[in-house]
Amino acid sequence: MATLTHHESATAEYLEVSPGTNRKFFMIIVAGVILLAIGILASVLGWGGHHEAAGAAHGAAAAHGAEHEGSPIWLKRVLVSLWHSNIFFVGVSTIGTFFVALQYVAYAGWSVLIKRINEAMSAWILPGAIIMLIVFFVGRHDLFHWTHEGIMDPKSANYDAIIAGKSGFLNLPFYLIRMVVYLGIWWFFSERLRKISLAEDLNGGTEYFHKSINVAALFLVLYAVTSSMSAWDWVMSVDVHWFSTMFGWYVFASWWVSGIAVTTLTAIYLKQAGYLRFVNSNHLHDLGKFMFGFSIFWTYVWFSQFMLIWYANLPEEAVYFNQRLGGFNGAYTWIFFFNLVINFVFPFLLMMTRDAKRQMIMLKIVSIAILIGHWSDFYLMFMPATMKGDNGFIIEIGVALIFLGSFLILFTKRLSQASLVPVHHPFLDESVHHTT
């Protein structure tokens, strides 16, 4: 393999995160805490209508010793929201590693200048793994019906034959082992690719590039399996009676297009701040094509899953969409259609032309819309099965803002720890001179 010469002017660039920027991130966290407190208070005191009143009634019943299933509504919403936002951010973080690995095995050169963005995205995997384990231990009965006592015991009043039939897969020890294995694999390979990349910066040579290809190839094989299985475990088993053979692809598509949106937004903000001076409209164009294409791919998977279940009209499968299209007095119907508009119609119409994919303002708007849209997509995956008709948004948005601020602090810290330009990558010249 021919090695391209290092472009003379492509020197290292180091991000300096200003105190003002960190203050903004902390303010996002503070805003989230305030919203979370307001949401909890509204739920406990019954402010703002049916959902909050239901939460207050549930809390009152608990206070008087009345029987109820699970935690008080406000606490259950907090636990579900923690799980929901953490799954979203962990998935997006892992996509950073997936993107890097994909570029290596494809021998792609265009993406070298944005590689450090994707490497930094994985900063959330380890804290996300810790949060996931804690939330599961604390709130598993509120999140997963299959964890309830006696649910798989034929002698119990809570016995469920369908869930019992899945006991070989859905049991606590095996579930926890799988969770640790998924997260451990993602974290290990993220750190491994990062260390090889930093060593390449220091020492140069092509040996690090070839080593990265081998590591990336193994990771992609493992990720192909673990990403789908994690979607079954962490998302689909919330609706434990329901199943879809396309669900792993569906969750991956949501994570993938969200990860590309994070990459695009970061590249634009760094470029506008004076960094990544060799990133040009051609790089942005390629990122725009990824967002455009995979928004369509997400829609293809969504439609294929929905259409086949709707057409077959089997009660075991149709219940999933019945809950989201008209169940619980239509609590989720508008979100169902909102997801289609913001995740497909909006990016499709705005990103159709070549010029749109090369304009920073257009890419910013679409990237932000995609992130909001796919966060709401995960909301729709979790809430009907866990909260039924007692859903809300204040607590959920508050938790999401706390996660967002925390993610940005770790993300920018890792970005600042190495050169934004991988100065000894053998394909650096190709990336600097990339045209489309």
Side-chain angles (χ1 to χ4, degrees), residues 275-315:
Y275 299 98
L276 298 180
R277 62 186 183 279
F278 292 106
V279 168
N280 56 44
S281 57
N282 298 302
H283 299 94
L284 298 179
H285 186 200
D286 281 348
L287 288 170
K289 285 189 287 187
F290 267 116
M291 285 198 296
F292 178 75
F294 281 96
S295 290
I296 296 172
F297 175 72
W298 172 86
T299 311
Y300 161 74
V301 179
W302 181 96
F303 177 76
S304 299
Q305 181 175 263
F306 173 77
M307 186 273 292
L308 291 171
I309 290 174
W310 171 80
Y311 185 75
N313 198 27
L314 300 175

mmCIF file of all heavy atoms in Angstrom, residues 275-315:
data_model
loop_
_atom_site.group_PDB
_atom_site.id
_atom_site.type_symbol
_atom_site.label_atom_id
_atom_site.label_comp_id
_atom_site.label_asym_id
_atom_site.label_seq_id
_atom_site.Cartn_x
_atom_site.Cartn_y
_atom_site.Cartn_z
ATOM 1 N N TYR A 275 -11.100 26.163 14.232
ATOM 2 C CA TYR A 275 -10.371 24.899 14.191
ATOM 3 C C TYR A 275 -10.700 24.154 12.897
ATOM 4 O O TYR A 275 -11.526 24.593 12.107
ATOM 5 C CB TYR A 275 -10.742 24.035 15.397
ATOM 6 C CG TYR A 275 -10.411 24.662 16.726
ATOM 7 C CD1 TYR A 275 -11.389 25.331 17.473
ATOM 8 C CD2 TYR A 275 -9.124 24.603 17.254
ATOM 9 C CE1 TYR A 275 -11.097 25.910 18.698
ATOM 10 C CE2 TYR A 275 -8.815 25.182 18.478
ATOM 11 C CZ TYR A 275 -9.802 25.837 19.193
ATOM 12 O OH TYR A 275 -9.504 26.420 20.402
ATOM 13 N N LEU A 276 -10.045 22.999 12.710
ATOM 14 C CA LEU A 276 -10.285 22.139 11.538
ATOM 15 C C LEU A 276 -10.269 22.958 10.243
ATOM 16 O O LEU A 276 -11.189 22.886 9.432
ATOM 17 C CB LEU A 276 -11.625 21.399 11.688
ATOM 18 C CG LEU A 276 -11.762 20.439 12.865
ATOM 19 C CD1 LEU A 276 -13.132 19.794 12.878
ATOM 20 C CD2 LEU A 276 -10.679 19.361 12.853
ATOM 21 N N ARG A 277 -9.211 23.719 10.048
ATOM 22 C CA ARG A 277 -9.181 24.654 8.914
ATOM 23 C C ARG A 277 -9.146 23.948 7.560
ATOM 24 O O ARG A 277 -9.449 24.564 6.533
ATOM 25 C CB ARG A 277 -7.988 25.599 9.046
ATOM 26 C CG ARG A 277 -6.619 24.952 9.035
ATOM 27 C CD ARG A 277 -5.549 25.997 9.335
ATOM 28 N NE ARG A 277 -4.199 25.455 9.265
ATOM 29 C CZ ARG A 277 -3.602 24.779 10.229
ATOM 30 N NH1 ARG A 277 -4.274 24.562 11.357
ATOM 31 N NH2 ARG A 277 -2.366 24.325 10.094
ATOM 32 N N PHE A 278 -8.789 22.653 7.545
ATOM 33 C CA PHE A 278 -8.765 21.933 6.277
ATOM 34 C C PHE A 278 -10.078 21.200 5.991
ATOM 35 O O PHE A 278 -10.238 20.620 4.925
ATOM 36 C CB PHE A 278 -7.593 20.939 6.255
ATOM 37 C CG PHE A 278 -6.258 21.612 6.229
ATOM 38 C CD1 PHE A 278 -5.463 21.642 7.361
ATOM 39 C CD2 PHE A 278 -5.806 22.259 5.082
ATOM 40 C CE1 PHE A 278 -4.238 22.268 7.353
ATOM 41 C CE2 PHE A 278 -4.579 22.897 5.062
ATOM 42 C CZ PHE A 278 -3.792 22.907 6.205
ATOM 43 N N VAL A 279 -10.988 21.206 6.942
ATOM 44 C CA VAL A 279 -12.323 20.679 6.669
ATOM 45 C C VAL A 279 -13.043 21.678 5.767
ATOM 46 O O VAL A 279 -13.089 22.872 6.055
ATOM 47 C CB VAL A 279 -13.113 20.457 7.971
ATOM 48 C CG1 VAL A 279 -14.584 20.186 7.681
ATOM 49 C CG2 VAL A 279 -12.517 19.307 8.769
ATOM 50 N N ASN A 280 -13.587 21.182 4.676
ATOM 51 C CA ASN A 280 -14.235 22.073 3.715
ATOM 52 C C ASN A 280 -15.646 21.589 3.383
ATOM 53 O O ASN A 280 -16.139 20.627 3.984
ATOM 54 C CB ASN A 280 -13.380 22.192 2.442
ATOM 55 C CG ASN A 280 -13.085 20.831 1.821
ATOM 56 O OD1 ASN A 280 -13.969 19.984 1.706
ATOM 57 N ND2 ASN A 280 -11.824 20.617 1.434
ATOM 58 N N SER A 281 -16.261 22.236 2.437
ATOM 59 C CA SER A 281 -17.645 21.911 2.083
ATOM 60 C C SER A 281 -17.781 20.496 1.532
ATOM 61 O O SER A 281 -18.864 19.906 1.584
ATOM 62 C CB SER A 281 -18.188 22.919 1.066
ATOM 63 O OG SER A 281 -17.374 22.951 -0.093
ATOM 64 N N ASN A 282 -16.684 19.932 1.024
ATOM 65 C CA ASN A 282 -16.743 18.561 0.516
ATOM 66 C C ASN A 282 -16.901 17.550 1.650
ATOM 67 O O ASN A 282 -17.639 16.568 1.525
ATOM 68 C CB ASN A 282 -15.476 18.249 -0.287
ATOM 69 C CG ASN A 282 -15.334 19.139 -1.504
ATOM 70 O OD1 ASN A 282 -16.204 19.174 -2.355
ATOM 71 N ND2 ASN A 282 -14.240 19.886 -1.569
ATOM 72 N N HIS A 283 -16.201 17.785 2.759
ATOM 73 C CA HIS A 283 -16.380 16.914 3.936
ATOM 74 C C HIS A 283 -17.803 17.034 4.477
ATOM 75 O O HIS A 283 -18.437 16.035 4.820
ATOM 76 C CB HIS A 283 -15.380 17.282 5.036
ATOM 77 C CG HIS A 283 -13.949 17.125 4.637
ATOM 78 N ND1 HIS A 283 -13.198 18.164 4.137
ATOM 79 C CD2 HIS A 283 -13.123 16.040 4.668
ATOM 80 C CE1 HIS A 283 -11.971 17.736 3.887
ATOM 81 N NE2 HIS A 283 -11.891 16.457 4.194
ATOM 82 N N LEU A 284 -18.288 18.268 4.564
ATOM 83 C CA LEU A 284 -19.645 18.481 5.058
ATOM 84 C C LEU A 284 -20.673 17.849 4.128
ATOM 85 O O LEU A 284 -21.698 17.317 4.575
ATOM 86 C CB LEU A 284 -19.915 19.981 5.212
ATOM 87 C CG LEU A 284 -19.027 20.723 6.220
ATOM 88 C CD1 LEU A 284 -19.383 22.202 6.253
ATOM 89 C CD2 LEU A 284 -19.159 20.119 7.619
ATOM 90 N N HIS A 285 -20.384 17.907 2.835
ATOM 91 C CA HIS A 285 -21.274 17.305 1.849
ATOM 92 C C HIS A 285 -21.421 15.803 2.090
ATOM 93 O O HIS A 285 -22.527 15.248 2.044
ATOM 94 C CB HIS A 285 -20.723 17.568 0.443
ATOM 95 C CG HIS A 285 -21.640 17.121 -0.653
ATOM 96 N ND1 HIS A 285 -21.217 16.889 -1.936
ATOM 97 C CD2 HIS A 285 -22.970 16.829 -0.664
ATOM 98 C CE1 HIS A 285 -22.230 16.508 -2.686
ATOM 99 N NE2 HIS A 285 -23.304 16.454 -1.936
ATOM 100 N N ASP A 286 -20.291 15.143 2.367
ATOM 101 C CA ASP A 286 -20.344 13.702 2.629
ATOM 102 C C ASP A 286 -21.119 13.386 3.908
ATOM 103 O O ASP A 286 -21.886 12.419 3.963
ATOM 104 C CB ASP A 286 -18.928 13.136 2.724
ATOM 105 C CG ASP A 286 -18.311 12.919 1.350
ATOM 106 O OD1 ASP A 286 -19.047 12.991 0.352
ATOM 107 O OD2 ASP A 286 -17.092 12.689 1.273
ATOM 108 N N LEU A 287 -20.913 14.198 4.941
ATOM 109 C CA LEU A 287 -21.678 14.000 6.180
ATOM 110 C C LEU A 287 -23.167 14.238 5.927
ATOM 111 O O LEU A 287 -24.021 13.519 6.460
ATOM 112 C CB LEU A 287 -21.162 14.947 7.266
ATOM 113 C CG LEU A 287 -19.783 14.600 7.851
ATOM 114 C CD1 LEU A 287 -19.266 15.745 8.727
ATOM 115 C CD2 LEU A 287 -19.833 13.307 8.660
ATOM 116 N N GLY A 288 -23.466 15.238 5.120
ATOM 117 C CA GLY A 288 -24.852 15.508 4.765
ATOM 118 C C GLY A 288 -25.478 14.349 4.002
ATOM 119 O O GLY A 288 -26.651 13.998 4.227
ATOM 120 N N LYS A 289 -24.699 13.724 3.122
ATOM 121 C CA LYS A 289 -25.208 12.564 2.388
ATOM 122 C C LYS A 289 -25.484 11.396 3.330
ATOM 123 O O LYS A 289 -26.464 10.667 3.149
ATOM 124 C CB LYS A 289 -24.201 12.143 1.308
ATOM 125 C CG LYS A 289 -24.176 13.073 0.099
ATOM 126 C CD LYS A 289 -23.336 12.513 -1.035
ATOM 127 C CE LYS A 289 -21.864 12.583 -0.731
ATOM 128 N NZ LYS A 289 -21.029 12.193 -1.901
ATOM 129 N N PHE A 290 -24.624 11.227 4.338
ATOM 130 C CA PHE A 290 -24.877 10.187 5.338
ATOM 131 C C PHE A 290 -26.194 10.451 6.068
ATOM 132 O O PHE A 290 -27.012 9.533 6.254
ATOM 133 C CB PHE A 290 -23.732 10.140 6.355
ATOM 134 C CG PHE A 290 -22.643 9.162 6.012
ATOM 135 C CD1 PHE A 290 -21.356 9.594 5.742
ATOM 136 C CD2 PHE A 290 -22.902 7.805 5.980
ATOM 137 C CE1 PHE A 290 -20.344 8.697 5.436
ATOM 138 C CE2 PHE A 290 -21.899 6.887 5.676
ATOM 139 C CZ PHE A 290 -20.618 7.338 5.400
ATOM 140 N N MET A 291 -26.399 11.682 6.512
ATOM 141 C CA MET A 291 -27.633 12.007 7.241
ATOM 142 C C MET A 291 -28.855 11.825 6.353
ATOM 143 O O MET A 291 -29.880 11.279 6.782
ATOM 144 C CB MET A 291 -27.576 13.431 7.786
ATOM 145 C CG MET A 291 -26.680 13.605 8.980
ATOM 146 S SD MET A 291 -27.008 15.120 9.895
ATOM 147 C CE MET A 291 -26.567 16.352 8.673
ATOM 148 N N PHE A 292 -28.757 12.283 5.123
ATOM 149 C CA PHE A 292 -29.869 12.152 4.177
ATOM 150 C C PHE A 292 -30.171 10.677 3.905
ATOM 151 O O PHE A 292 -31.318 10.227 4.013
ATOM 152 C CB PHE A 292 -29.503 12.878 2.875
ATOM 153 C CG PHE A 292 -30.554 12.779 1.804
ATOM 154 C CD1 PHE A 292 -31.725 13.516 1.880
ATOM 155 C CD2 PHE A 292 -30.371 11.943 0.704
ATOM 156 C CE1 PHE A 292 -32.695 13.438 0.884
ATOM 157 C CE2 PHE A 292 -31.325 11.849 -0.289
ATOM 158 C CZ PHE A 292 -32.488 12.595 -0.205
ATOM 159 N N GLY A 293 -29.131 9.922 3.561
ATOM 160 C CA GLY A 293 -29.326 8.519 3.203
ATOM 161 C C GLY A 293 -29.835 7.670 4.341
ATOM 162 O O GLY A 293 -30.746 6.848 4.166
ATOM 163 N N PHE A 294 -29.288 7.879 5.535
ATOM 164 C CA PHE A 294 -29.686 7.020 6.649
ATOM 165 C C PHE A 294 -30.973 7.479 7.319
ATOM 166 O O PHE A 294 -31.581 6.713 8.061
ATOM 167 C CB PHE A 294 -28.535 6.861 7.633
ATOM 168 C CG PHE A 294 -27.524 5.868 7.151
ATOM 169 C CD1 PHE A 294 -26.393 6.276 6.467
ATOM 170 C CD2 PHE A 294 -27.735 4.509 7.332
ATOM 171 C CE1 PHE A 294 -25.471 5.359 5.994
ATOM 172 C CE2 PHE A 294 -26.820 3.579 6.868
ATOM 173 C CZ PHE A 294 -25.688 4.000 6.187
ATOM 174 N N SER A 295 -31.402 8.710 7.066
ATOM 175 C CA SER A 295 -32.764 9.093 7.459
ATOM 176 C C SER A 295 -33.766 8.303 6.627
ATOM 177 O O SER A 295 -34.809 7.853 7.132
ATOM 178 C CB SER A 295 -32.982 10.595 7.268
ATOM 179 O OG SER A 295 -32.241 11.338 8.200
ATOM 180 N N ILE A 296 -33.433 8.100 5.363
ATOM 181 C CA ILE A 296 -34.285 7.287 4.493
ATOM 182 C C ILE A 296 -34.215 5.822 4.920
ATOM 183 O O ILE A 296 -35.231 5.113 4.935
ATOM 184 C CB ILE A 296 -33.877 7.458 3.017
ATOM 185 C CG1 ILE A 296 -34.120 8.907 2.577
ATOM 186 C CG2 ILE A 296 -34.640 6.491 2.117
ATOM 187 C CD1 ILE A 296 -33.581 9.231 1.205
ATOM 188 N N PHE A 297 -33.011 5.360 5.283
ATOM 189 C CA PHE A 297 -32.869 3.968 5.729
ATOM 190 C C PHE A 297 -33.683 3.722 7.004
ATOM 191 O O PHE A 297 -34.363 2.687 7.122
ATOM 192 C CB PHE A 297 -31.397 3.653 5.983
ATOM 193 C CG PHE A 297 -31.167 2.286 6.569
ATOM 194 C CD1 PHE A 297 -31.337 1.148 5.801
ATOM 195 C CD2 PHE A 297 -30.797 2.139 7.902
ATOM 196 C CE1 PHE A 297 -31.134 -0.119 6.347
ATOM 197 C CE2 PHE A 297 -30.591 0.882 8.454
ATOM 198 C CZ PHE A 297 -30.767 -0.252 7.674
ATOM 199 N N TRP A 298 -33.622 4.658 7.957
ATOM 200 C CA TRP A 298 -34.428 4.515 9.179
ATOM 201 C C TRP A 298 -35.906 4.409 8.815
ATOM 202 O O TRP A 298 -36.638 3.583 9.378
ATOM 203 C CB TRP A 298 -34.201 5.714 10.105
ATOM 204 C CG TRP A 298 -35.129 5.734 11.281
ATOM 205 C CD1 TRP A 298 -34.963 5.103 12.471
ATOM 206 C CD2 TRP A 298 -36.407 6.399 11.370
ATOM 207 N NE1 TRP A 298 -36.044 5.338 13.297
ATOM 208 C CE2 TRP A 298 -36.938 6.128 12.646
ATOM 209 C CE3 TRP A 298 -37.135 7.206 10.490
ATOM 210 C CZ2 TRP A 298 -38.167 6.631 13.061
ATOM 211 C CZ3 TRP A 298 -38.369 7.705 10.914
ATOM 212 C CH2 TRP A 298 -38.867 7.416 12.184
ATOM 213 N N THR A 299 -36.341 5.235 7.874
ATOM 214 C CA THR A 299 -37.746 5.220 7.464
ATOM 215 C C THR A 299 -38.109 3.908 6.788
ATOM 216 O O THR A 299 -39.210 3.383 6.977
ATOM 217 C CB THR A 299 -38.037 6.395 6.509
ATOM 218 O OG1 THR A 299 -37.521 7.596 7.064
ATOM 219 C CG2 THR A 299 -39.524 6.551 6.266
ATOM 220 N N TYR A 300 -37.183 3.375 5.995
ATOM 221 C CA TYR A 300 -37.409 2.083 5.339
ATOM 222 C C TYR A 300 -37.624 0.983 6.381
ATOM 223 O O TYR A 300 -38.554 0.172 6.263
ATOM 224 C CB TYR A 300 -36.220 1.761 4.434
ATOM 225 C CG TYR A 300 -36.107 0.311 4.065
ATOM 226 C CD1 TYR A 300 -36.985 -0.266 3.143
ATOM 227 C CD2 TYR A 300 -35.123 -0.506 4.635
ATOM 228 C CE1 TYR A 300 -36.891 -1.598 2.807
ATOM 229 C CE2 TYR A 300 -35.025 -1.841 4.311
ATOM 230 C CZ TYR A 300 -35.900 -2.391 3.395
ATOM 231 O OH TYR A 300 -35.802 -3.705 3.065
ATOM 232 N N VAL A 301 -36.771 0.956 7.407
ATOM 233 C CA VAL A 301 -36.921 -0.064 8.456
ATOM 234 C C VAL A 301 -38.221 0.179 9.219
ATOM 235 O O VAL A 301 -38.964 -0.763 9.534
ATOM 236 C CB VAL A 301 -35.712 -0.054 9.406
ATOM 237 C CG1 VAL A 301 -35.884 -1.102 10.501
ATOM 238 C CG2 VAL A 301 -34.415 -0.316 8.636
ATOM 239 N N TRP A 302 -38.497 1.445 9.542
ATOM 240 C CA TRP A 302 -39.736 1.782 10.262
ATOM 241 C C TRP A 302 -40.950 1.309 9.475
ATOM 242 O O TRP A 302 -41.850 0.656 10.012
ATOM 243 C CB TRP A 302 -39.815 3.301 10.473
ATOM 244 C CG TRP A 302 -41.043 3.737 11.221
ATOM 245 C CD1 TRP A 302 -41.147 3.976 12.554
ATOM 246 C CD2 TRP A 302 -42.351 3.977 10.665
ATOM 247 N NE1 TRP A 302 -42.434 4.343 12.873
ATOM 248 C CE2 TRP A 302 -43.197 4.347 11.734
ATOM 249 C CE3 TRP A 302 -42.884 3.912 9.385
ATOM 250 C CZ2 TRP A 302 -44.534 4.656 11.548
ATOM 251 C CZ3 TRP A 302 -44.223 4.206 9.200
ATOM 252 C CH2 TRP A 302 -45.037 4.583 10.276
ATOM 253 N N PHE A 303 -40.983 1.634 8.181
ATOM 254 C CA PHE A 303 -42.144 1.280 7.363
ATOM 255 C C PHE A 303 -42.269 -0.232 7.200
ATOM 256 O O PHE A 303 -43.378 -0.777 7.269
ATOM 257 C CB PHE A 303 -42.042 1.947 5.983
ATOM 258 C CG PHE A 303 -43.170 1.575 5.058
ATOM 259 C CD1 PHE A 303 -44.427 2.129 5.227
ATOM 260 C CD2 PHE A 303 -42.972 0.655 4.040
ATOM 261 C CE1 PHE A 303 -45.478 1.774 4.391
ATOM 262 C CE2 PHE A 303 -44.015 0.298 3.199
ATOM 263 C CZ PHE A 303 -45.266 0.855 3.370
ATOM 264 N N SER A 304 -41.145 -0.898 6.975
ATOM 265 C CA SER A 304 -41.191 -2.354 6.795
ATOM 266 C C SER A 304 -41.736 -3.041 8.044
ATOM 267 O O SER A 304 -42.555 -3.962 7.954
ATOM 268 C CB SER A 304 -39.790 -2.877 6.481
ATOM 269 O OG SER A 304 -39.303 -2.319 5.288
ATOM 270 N N GLN A 305 -41.289 -2.588 9.204
ATOM 271 C CA GLN A 305 -41.760 -3.160 10.467
ATOM 272 C C GLN A 305 -43.236 -2.861 10.672
ATOM 273 O O GLN A 305 -44.030 -3.760 10.991
ATOM 274 C CB GLN A 305 -40.941 -2.588 11.623
ATOM 275 C CG GLN A 305 -41.306 -3.118 12.985
ATOM 276 C CD GLN A 305 -40.364 -2.602 14.065
ATOM 277 O OE1 GLN A 305 -39.423 -3.272 14.438
ATOM 278 N NE2 GLN A 305 -40.623 -1.407 14.559
ATOM 279 N N PHE A 306 -43.634 -1.622 10.457
ATOM 280 C CA PHE A 306 -45.025 -1.211 10.677
ATOM 281 C C PHE A 306 -45.972 -1.858 9.676
ATOM 282 O O PHE A 306 -47.016 -2.402 10.043
ATOM 283 C CB PHE A 306 -45.130 0.311 10.595
ATOM 284 C CG PHE A 306 -46.540 0.823 10.647
ATOM 285 C CD1 PHE A 306 -47.219 0.876 11.855
ATOM 286 C CD2 PHE A 306 -47.202 1.238 9.504
ATOM 287 C CE1 PHE A 306 -48.529 1.340 11.923
ATOM 288 C CE2 PHE A 306 -48.509 1.703 9.550
ATOM 289 C CZ PHE A 306 -49.176 1.749 10.764
ATOM 290 N N MET A 307 -45.613 -1.813 8.393
ATOM 291 C CA MET A 307 -46.505 -2.300 7.347
ATOM 292 C C MET A 307 -46.778 -3.792 7.481
ATOM 293 O O MET A 307 -47.928 -4.241 7.364
ATOM 294 C CB MET A 307 -45.900 -1.986 5.979
ATOM 295 C CG MET A 307 -46.802 -2.323 4.789
ATOM 296 S SD MET A 307 -46.623 -4.029 4.219
ATOM 297 C CE MET A 307 -44.969 -3.984 3.545
ATOM 298 N N LEU A 308 -45.739 -4.578 7.753
ATOM 299 C CA LEU A 308 -45.926 -6.024 7.860
ATOM 300 C C LEU A 308 -46.798 -6.386 9.055
ATOM 301 O O LEU A 308 -47.637 -7.291 8.973
ATOM 302 C CB LEU A 308 -44.566 -6.712 7.952
ATOM 303 C CG LEU A 308 -43.722 -6.673 6.677
ATOM 304 C CD1 LEU A 308 -42.325 -7.195 6.940
ATOM 305 C CD2 LEU A 308 -44.385 -7.470 5.558
ATOM 306 N N ILE A 309 -46.603 -5.701 10.170
ATOM 307 C CA ILE A 309 -47.409 -5.977 11.356
ATOM 308 C C ILE A 309 -48.847 -5.508 11.150
ATOM 309 O O ILE A 309 -49.811 -6.195 11.505
ATOM 310 C CB ILE A 309 -46.770 -5.315 12.594
ATOM 311 C CG1 ILE A 309 -45.458 -6.030 12.957
ATOM 312 C CG2 ILE A 309 -47.721 -5.328 13.791
ATOM 313 C CD1 ILE A 309 -44.676 -5.371 14.069
ATOM 314 N N TRP A 310 -49.008 -4.339 10.554
ATOM 315 C CA TRP A 310 -50.360 -3.821 10.284
ATOM 316 C C TRP A 310 -51.106 -4.739 9.321
ATOM 317 O O TRP A 310 -52.276 -5.048 9.510
ATOM 318 C CB TRP A 310 -50.245 -2.410 9.709
ATOM 319 C CG TRP A 310 -51.560 -1.878 9.192
ATOM 320 C CD1 TRP A 310 -52.575 -1.337 9.914
ATOM 321 C CD2 TRP A 310 -51.985 -1.862 7.821
ATOM 322 N NE1 TRP A 310 -53.615 -0.974 9.083
ATOM 323 C CE2 TRP A 310 -53.275 -1.285 7.794
ATOM 324 C CE3 TRP A 310 -51.400 -2.274 6.622
ATOM 325 C CZ2 TRP A 310 -53.983 -1.114 6.610
ATOM 326 C CZ3 TRP A 310 -52.108 -2.099 5.445
ATOM 327 C CH2 TRP A 310 -53.375 -1.526 5.447
ATOM 328 N N TYR A 311 -50.410 -5.178 8.270
ATOM 329 C CA TYR A 311 -51.051 -6.010 7.248
ATOM 330 C C TYR A 311 -51.445 -7.374 7.801
ATOM 331 O O TYR A 311 -52.536 -7.874 7.524
ATOM 332 C CB TYR A 311 -50.092 -6.178 6.063
ATOM 333 C CG TYR A 311 -50.692 -6.925 4.895
ATOM 334 C CD1 TYR A 311 -51.605 -6.304 4.061
ATOM 335 C CD2 TYR A 311 -50.345 -8.259 4.645
ATOM 336 C CE1 TYR A 311 -52.170 -6.982 2.992
ATOM 337 C CE2 TYR A 311 -50.904 -8.948 3.589
ATOM 338 C CZ TYR A 311 -51.813 -8.304 2.753
ATOM 339 O OH TYR A 311 -52.357 -8.979 1.695
ATOM 340 N N ALA A 312 -50.573 -7.978 8.620
ATOM 341 C CA ALA A 312 -50.880 -9.284 9.202
ATOM 342 C C ALA A 312 -51.964 -9.184 10.268
ATOM 343 O O ALA A 312 -52.751 -10.113 10.456
ATOM 344 C CB ALA A 312 -49.626 -9.896 9.799
ATOM 345 N N ASN A 313 -51.988 -8.059 11.003
ATOM 346 C CA ASN A 313 -53.003 -7.804 12.017
ATOM 347 C C ASN A 313 -53.070 -8.909 13.068
ATOM 348 O O ASN A 313 -54.149 -9.305 13.501
ATOM 349 C CB ASN A 313 -54.382 -7.609 11.369
ATOM 350 C CG ASN A 313 -55.356 -6.921 12.321
ATOM 351 O OD1 ASN A 313 -54.950 -6.167 13.208
ATOM 352 N ND2 ASN A 313 -56.643 -7.186 12.145
ATOM 353 N N LEU A 314 -51.888 -9.393 13.476
ATOM 354 C CA LEU A 314 -51.843 -10.389 14.539
ATOM 355 C C LEU A 314 -51.889 -9.684 15.887
ATOM 356 O O LEU A 314 -51.113 -8.748 16.118
ATOM 357 C CB LEU A 314 -50.559 -11.217 14.435
ATOM 358 C CG LEU A 314 -50.365 -12.008 13.129
ATOM 359 C CD1 LEU A 314 -49.000 -12.674 13.125
ATOM 360 C CD2 LEU A 314 -51.463 -13.038 12.961
ATOM 361 N N PRO A 315 -52.771 -10.089 16.779
ATOM 362 C CA PRO A 315 -52.915 -9.379 18.065
ATOM 363 C C PRO A 315 -51.614 -9.277 18.853
ATOM 364 O O PRO A 315 -51.350 -8.254 19.479
ATOM 365 C CB PRO A 315 -53.951 -10.227 18.815
ATOM 366 C CG PRO A 315 -54.712 -10.931 17.752
ATOM 367 C CD PRO A 315 -53.740 -11.184 16.640
#
